[in-house]
Amino acid sequence: MKTIDHTTDEVLRLAAEHFKVQREQLSPDDDFFKKLGINSLQALDLLTRIEQHFQIELPDYELQGVTDFRTLAQRIQSRL
Amino acid sequence: MLDLRQYNSLGEALRAALDRWPNEICLIEADRDRENARFTYRQFKDQALPLASALQNAGLQDGTCAAIIMTNQSKWLISAYAIFFCGGVLVPLDYKLTAAEQLQLLAHSHAEFLVIEYHLWRAITQSEQFKHLAVRTVLVTEAPLNADLHAAHRWQDFRAATEPTFIPRKRNDPACIVYSSGTGGRPKGCVLTHDNYLEQCVALTSLYPFWPGVRYLSILPTNHAIDFMVGFIGPFTCGATVVHLRTLRPEFIREAFTKYKITYMALVPMILKNLERGLRQRFADLPPRKRKILNALISTNRALTRRRPHLKISRALLPQVHQAFGGELRALFVGGAFTEPETLQFFYDLGIPVGNGYGCTEAGTVITVNDLKPFRGDTVGKPLPGMEVKITNPGAEGIGEVTVRSRTLMSHYLDDPEMTTETIVNGWLHTGDLGRLDPSGHLQLFGRKKNMIVTEEGKNIYPEDVETYFSGLPVKEFCVFAANYLWPAHTMVGEQLIIVLHPETGQEITDALVKEAAERNRRLLNYKRISGYLAWDRDFPLTASLKIKRAELAEQIRQNRERSAVVPL
């Protein structure tokens, strides 16, 4: 079972890869909409990438109200 | 389609439709690549009537308000029909609002019944304001077994075996209360009548007809005014099929197009642009020779469809593009916010007409739409049949406020006669948008007169609604504005909100203050956020009741500050 820290780290790595930014530029409390300059559809793209990696399914609504990587990681962790 | 002039209410028209096409498929619900449900019109009726009966037994009668808060799915439509059958007034609420905002609108609408998805209900029950919820009957869908429902009922168990009684309504009775804004300040509950909807449906389907066999892909939630009309009332009263997709992921949208052979789809600019980006990328990835051939075919198609769409020709010229959309797509509808002409032209050149429209809830959804005779990407089309559009106080270039008169105009704002009188003057709705009618009768938009923004997702954001998130900020006073309202930009693209901060005398705008403002900004949903702050050093003009005189403050700011003085937050 992955720890929340490990999950958060994985999410940050996947986001960096997906949006082609340096991993070091991202931190858990970053607002990903602002930091990555993305809209909600692009955030859903990231969710798809995350699902493939963790082999889970996250309904679109799980992203509702989530703006930072840490909270996103918590949502993922609860489904692992 | 049904002759809607024969019916007095949405419930009556839908009831006739369910009897008219019993064996046609009316509704398919898909989640990703799975199909969750499929109903014929008869099966839809069999689902809805026991629910209507239970609602009647629980006291839902003519004029009772019943709210729905759900994502895009079949139970939304089944519940809505059951409410209309009982003569109820439907209150479609946005599931993306926070629980506190939903509770506020439930209270404002005086809703006595609520149909809601479990995850949304859980958020409401965990909200501090839950104790104030006055709704007496709550039905929860998708609730796990053993979940604590806080005295709510399971939607699927809330059924009665007795035959429900259909409750007729008059044309001018309220059908829906639709909130066009207002969670922080004054809620704008547009009261729309059965006549409004039936008239709008007749006008829209005269331009874009539905018939049995047509498949409409619904990805917008049905609380969205466009989807309510073209993804429920329109197709149902024509015997067509609605395909609900419960995700906005592009890969599943693409799959739904081909799997269900979609005929029409409505979307907001953000999704259309996303589709455009994907296609452009695919074209760019083609080998140079194939790309050259594709470009030549696109040019040929553009030339052959200059006057009007020729679907057969376009499908023959660009078969791979059309097959990727299922091969039967006739048009996309886009509305809710401004779409760039280049995006519209891109799709039209591929032989996929986009019915670009403009409207507002107060006008009964759609005011103008492109009739494709010929296609024009630079306008939002011509007024719908029965819709009068007038430009009030036009300037030298013919640009003025878009005002509208039609049978589809809302009856009034719920419990707000003052705002109703300000908005509808002598039967003309003042939209607050700036536009010009060209010689051929097409409407072009040039920004807004009113202090608000519309996002690419089609969300109307009013500064007053956002301000509540900043209350308690340690400054003397603050005020949120649409940047284009302060500094008119004659554009409807990239609209942003800013906050004007007036510190106490001697107080500086410190990093700590900016950090706190940024932190509060983060609590807002991403599309509601403000983009920057403006430092201001004078007292705000106030009314006798100490409310900010926004128009006066805006004028002062306009006279004394450039837009470049806004600091990003």
Side-chain angles (χ1 to χ4, degrees), chain B residues 109-127:
Chain B
S109 67
H110 317 293
E112 294 179 46
F113 288 75
L114 169 64
V115 186
I116 186 167
E117 281 175 20
Y118 175 68
H119 68 104
L120 297 163
W121 176 238
R122 198 178 48 187
I124 281 187
T125 58
Q126 289 167 356
S127 161

Side-chain angles (χ1 to χ4, degrees), chain B residues 240-539:
Chain B
T241 304
V242 176
V243 180
H244 271 167
L245 184 62
R246 298 192 67 172
T247 177
L248 284 176
R249 316 258 178 128
E251 63 270 33
F252 297 115
I253 294 177
R254 281 197 294 272
E255 194 176 316
F257 269 118
T258 52
K259 185 172 177 183
Y260 294 110
K261 308 280 181 206
I262 296 302
T263 322
Y264 294 124
M265 173 187 177
L267 27 67
V268 291
M270 183 176 72
I271 301 173
L272 187 68
K273 282 171 80 171
N274 200 56
L275 277 175
E276 180 193 1
R277 251 195 311 274
L279 283 170
R280 283 192 189 277
Q281 187 58 52
R282 282 212 230 169
F283 296 167
D285 291 342
L286 289 173
R289 204 176 66 84
K290 281 195 172 178
R291 204 182 324 148
K292 207 171 164 183
I293 294 169
L294 177 71
N295 288 338
L297 290 169
I298 291 173
S299 298
T300 308
N301 184 62
R302 185 187 304 145
L304 293 173
T305 59
R306 204 176 296 280
R307 290 190 179 185
R308 64 183 182 88
H310 288 283
L311 287 173
K312 278 187 182 169
I313 292 175
S314 299
R315 286 173 187 165
L317 279 172
L318 298 156
Q320 283 175 324
V321 172
H322 285 264
Q323 276 156 19
F325 282 96
E328 293 186 24
L329 186 66
R330 297 179 72 87
L332 299 171
F333 306 119
V334 65
F338 186 76
T339 310
E340 278 114 333
E342 296 74 28
T343 299
L344 301 169
Q345 192 68 50
F346 171 79
F347 283 97
Y348 190 75
D349 289 346
L350 294 174
I352 300 168
V354 183
N356 184 33
Y358 157 71
C360 61
T361 307
E362 285 83 346
T365 315
V366 181
I367 295 171
T368 62
V369 70
N370 201 311
D371 61 5
L372 309 175
K373 297 171 188 169
F375 168 77
R376 291 268 307 268
D378 60 330
T379 80
V380 287
K382 291 180 187 171
L384 276 185
M387 187 77 67
E388 292 176 80
V389 174
K390 185 173 74 177
I391 303 300
T392 307
N393 300 324
E397 295 175 323
I399 299 169
E401 185 177 10
V402 179
T403 51
V404 183
R405 189 165 65 176
S406 159
R407 264 175 78 172
T408 66
L409 294 195
M410 68 168 182
S411 159
H412 58 280
Y413 285 121
L414 183 68
D415 297 340
D416 203 331
E418 192 188 344
M419 192 153 48
T420 305
T421 312
E422 284 167 13
T423 309
I424 303 178
V425 182
N426 297 326
W428 289 87
L429 172 80
H430 288 246
T431 63
D433 296 320
L434 296 172
R436 176 173 65 193
L437 283 167
D438 74 6
S440 60
H442 277 253
L443 179 67
Q444 292 175 295
L445 295 175
F446 292 94
R448 297 177 210 291
K449 190 181 161 195
K450 57 193 169 185
N451 186 18
M452 54 93 72
I453 64 168
V454 179
T455 70
E456 277 192 319
E457 292 165 82
K459 303 272 184 200
N460 294 0
I461 313 294
Y462 286 79
E464 295 88 334
D465 294 349
V466 171
E467 268 169 12
T468 48
Y469 285 81
F470 295 89
S471 59
L473 201 65
V475 286
K476 185 171 184 185
E477 52 198 350
F478 67 88
C479 189
V480 175
F481 282 104
N484 287 356
Y485 175 72
L486 291 176
W487 302 284
H490 274 202
T491 178
M492 296 176 104
V493 179
E495 295 182 293
Q496 293 177 325
L497 295 175
I498 64 149
I499 186 166
V500 178
L501 299 175
H502 176 213
E504 297 283 358
T505 310
Q507 182 193 3
E508 295 286 317
I509 294 189
T510 59
D511 288 349
L513 173 59
V514 174
K515 197 175 167 194
E516 180 163 354
E519 185 51 45
R520 285 159 182 266
N521 201 27
R522 249 178 89 153
R523 288 180 212 158
L524 284 159
L525 293 172
N526 61 309
Y527 57 84
K528 284 189 176 179
R529 290 187 195 155
I530 59 174
S531 62
Y533 72 87
L534 180 77
W536 186 248
D537 53 5
R538 287 177 230 177
D539 285 342

Side-chain angles (χ1 to χ4, degrees), chain A residues 29-31 33-34 39-42 44-45 47-48 51 57-61 64-65 67-68, chain B residues 32 34 95-97 119-120 246-251 270-271 274 277 457 522 525-526 529 569:
Chain A
D29 293 318
D30 278 342
D31 176 339
F33 289 108
K34 198 169 171 183
N39 61 29
S40 52
L41 277 184
Q42 290 164 309
L44 280 178
D45 266 348
L47 210 58
T48 301
E51 285 181 335
E57 190 170 309
L58 288 160
D60 290 7
Y61 67 72
Q64 196 180 320
T67 58
D68 62 274
Chain B
R32 300 184 178 221
R34 302 180 293 266
Y95 74 90
K96 286 189 174 174
L97 295 174
H119 68 104
L120 297 163
R246 298 192 67 172
T247 177
L248 284 176
R249 316 258 178 128
E251 63 270 33
M270 183 176 72
I271 301 173
N274 200 56
R277 251 195 311 274
E457 292 165 82
R522 249 178 89 153
L525 293 172
N526 61 309
R529 290 187 195 155
L569 195 62

